[in-house]
Amino acid sequence: EQKAKGKDGFTIFENCMHLNSIKFIQLSNRLREALPNKELLLYFQPQYDIRTGELFGLEALIRWNHPTKGFIPPIEFISIAEKTGYIVELSEWTLKTAIEQKREWDKKGLPSVKIAINMSGCVITNTKVFENICNILDELKIQPGEIEVEVTETAVMMELDKAKIHLQKLKEYGISIAIDDFGSGYSSLNYLNLLPFDILKIDYEFLNKIKNKEDESLIYQTIIRLAHDMNLSVIAEGVETIEQLEFLKKYQCDIGQGYYYCKPIPAIEIEKLLLSEISMVHETLD
Ligand code: C2E
Ligand code: MG
Ligand code: MG
Ligand code: MG
């Protein structure tokens, strides 16, 4: 009986695998059409200076607006693109689109803010990402200091040496490097020393977990202090409530990003936000 059960279980598992690989292939083929079909777009989420409340930067977040399925979350299709290698093409598009968008805002005379771009580890380690970014920035006359590249540690630890060389080049050129989702996954404090980071983004799960819990709060405070001791700026991800913001203020976290401030929004909405920044400056001058 035991055996029969096991066998059944195995059959189900096998079918499941089969189904998953069909879905994988379908979605991965479909994703290649998304770019030419113009179904991909960038949303942007503002980041704010916690102390002054000033706009600090905008994180570009990719969106796939599928004609029948609606918005497919990036965590679903980015991992597929990483497995098939399509991520290289996708990243080139993201980079170019984000920087072009910034150029457009600058040309309209809107306040100039830094743009943060997420980069998959395999793109950092296996492509001419440096030459690529330099060319785009050169062509569009954007200062490297206006760009931040975000990488997760799990993504770069596979090929640490290459990652180090490529990130170092970007940093020397003037681009800021952020470690994304710090504290999630297999965080090792070692990476903070090995890779040339300027900014540390604390994973939103940490802030979520605090809710009056002494020890969780202590971990958070310690990460902030450690980052500051290493000359890194700290961005808190997932700031959702005023209580969380007060906590971050109290422990001198530098920058906040999350639904409390603003959700990721389309470029046209960002434009309105940048316009209101101008009128705010005028109000304080009056
Ligand atoms: P991430 O870089 O850590 O981006 C932050 C994610 O947190 C975003 O999810 C954002 O919508 C979400 N978020 C923002 N504020 C809050 C909040 O207050 N509470 C909560 N619970 N979540 C918040 P999103 O846009 O779904 O992106 C997910 C991940 O997909 C990103 O995580 C990033 O790793 C990846 N990703 C997005 N765009 C790109 C891209 O252009 N290239 C690459 N390689 N990866 C991307
Ligand atoms: Mg990010
Ligand atoms: Mg993150
Ligand atoms: Mg994340």
Side-chain angles (χ1 to χ4, degrees):
E1 204 211 45
Q2 198 64 27
K3 234 182 184 175
K5 235 187 189 171
K7 213 178 167 197
D8 274 343
F10 184 70
T11 315
I12 292 164
F13 177 68
E14 220 181 11
N15 283 339
C16 201
M17 283 282 287
H18 187 54
L19 203 69
N20 276 339
S21 41
I22 291 172
K23 272 191 182 158
F24 179 93
I25 293 164
Q26 279 175 345
L27 206 59
S28 123
N29 285 340
R30 189 56 190 78
L31 180 59
R32 285 175 190 271
E33 294 168 23
L35 251 189
N37 286 354
K38 301 200 186 315
E39 292 162 12
L40 296 181
L41 64 161
L42 291 183
Y43 273 31
F44 295 86
Q45 187 176 35
Q47 305 170 324
Y48 290 92
D49 184 309
I50 288 175
R51 202 173 50 82
T52 65
E54 267 176 274
L55 184 60
F56 169 83
L58 299 166
E59 179 175 4
L61 294 159
I62 198 166
R63 295 290 178 265
W64 179 6
N65 191 3
H66 189 286
T68 56
K69 293 191 174 103
F71 281 94
I72 300 176
I75 41 157
E76 278 180 32
F77 66 88
I78 291 288
S79 61
I80 291 178
E82 284 173 346
K83 287 186 188 110
T84 62
Y86 188 58
I87 191 70
V88 175
E89 216 170 312
L90 212 60
S91 302
E92 274 172 23
W93 176 84
T94 308
L95 258 180
K96 197 149 197 284
T97 309
I99 299 171
E100 273 171 357
Q101 183 60 71
K102 175 173 172 51
R103 168 93 180 121
E104 212 175 289
W105 287 326
D106 286 359
K107 262 166 62 184
K108 286 184 176 169
L110 294 163
S112 186
V113 284
K114 201 162 158 170
I115 303 284
I117 300 166
N118 292 286
M119 284 273 125
S120 296
C122 54
V123 173
I124 295 288
T125 51
N126 295 324
T127 70
K128 296 192 165 175
V129 67
F130 176 70
E131 284 80 357
N132 213 335
I133 296 184
C134 287
N135 287 340
I136 300 171
L137 292 178
D138 246 29
E139 189 192 320
L140 299 172
K141 311 242 170 341
I142 300 285
Q143 296 299 316
E146 300 276 305
I147 301 298
E148 179 196 309
V149 164
E150 298 191 356
V151 293
T152 60
E153 57 193 327
T154 29
V156 287
M157 69 183 187
M158 295 300 188
E159 292 187 84
L160 204 57
D161 295 338
K162 267 198 199 165
K164 190 178 172 181
I165 294 167
H166 291 191
L167 290 176
Q168 189 65 45
K169 263 174 137 181
L170 288 170
K171 187 188 171 115
E172 278 164 15
Y173 185 59
I175 290 169
S176 319
I177 313 292
I179 178 166
D180 206 348
D181 302 345
F182 182 80
S184 70
Y186 305 98
S187 288
S188 153
L189 294 176
N190 223 9
Y191 294 111
L192 290 184
N193 259 331
L194 291 174
L195 298 166
F197 298 118
D198 304 285
I199 296 170
L200 182 150
K201 296 188 76 171
I202 307 180
D203 194 66
Y204 79 100
E205 291 280 0
F206 274 97
L207 202 54
N208 246 323
K209 276 194 250 169
I210 294 179
K211 306 210 177 78
N212 305 323
K213 275 186 257 163
E214 277 296 319
D215 41 351
E216 299 286 353
S217 142
L218 199 61
I219 292 175
Y220 210 98
Q221 293 167 43
T222 308
I223 298 175
I224 295 176
R225 217 171 310 128
L226 170 78
H228 284 164
D229 286 345
M230 297 182 77
N231 275 323
L232 303 173
S233 300
V234 184
I235 303 184
E237 285 188 340
V239 185
E240 293 181 355
T241 66
I242 181 87
E243 289 79 16
Q244 289 174 333
L245 182 61
E246 291 307 329
F247 169 83
L248 295 168
K249 246 185 208 158
K250 184 170 167 196
Y251 294 105
Q252 276 142 48
C253 183
D254 307 290
I255 296 140
Q257 181 181 353
Y259 300 159
Y260 171 78
Y261 288 111
C262 186
K263 286 194 171 170
I265 49 179
I268 182 78
E269 300 288 325
I270 291 289
E271 201 166 312
K272 289 181 202 158
L273 191 134
L274 292 174
L275 270 171
S276 71
E277 288 279 314
I278 298 181
S279 48
M280 265 162 61
V281 173
H282 279 284
E283 267 166 39
T284 42
L285 288 179
D286 286 345

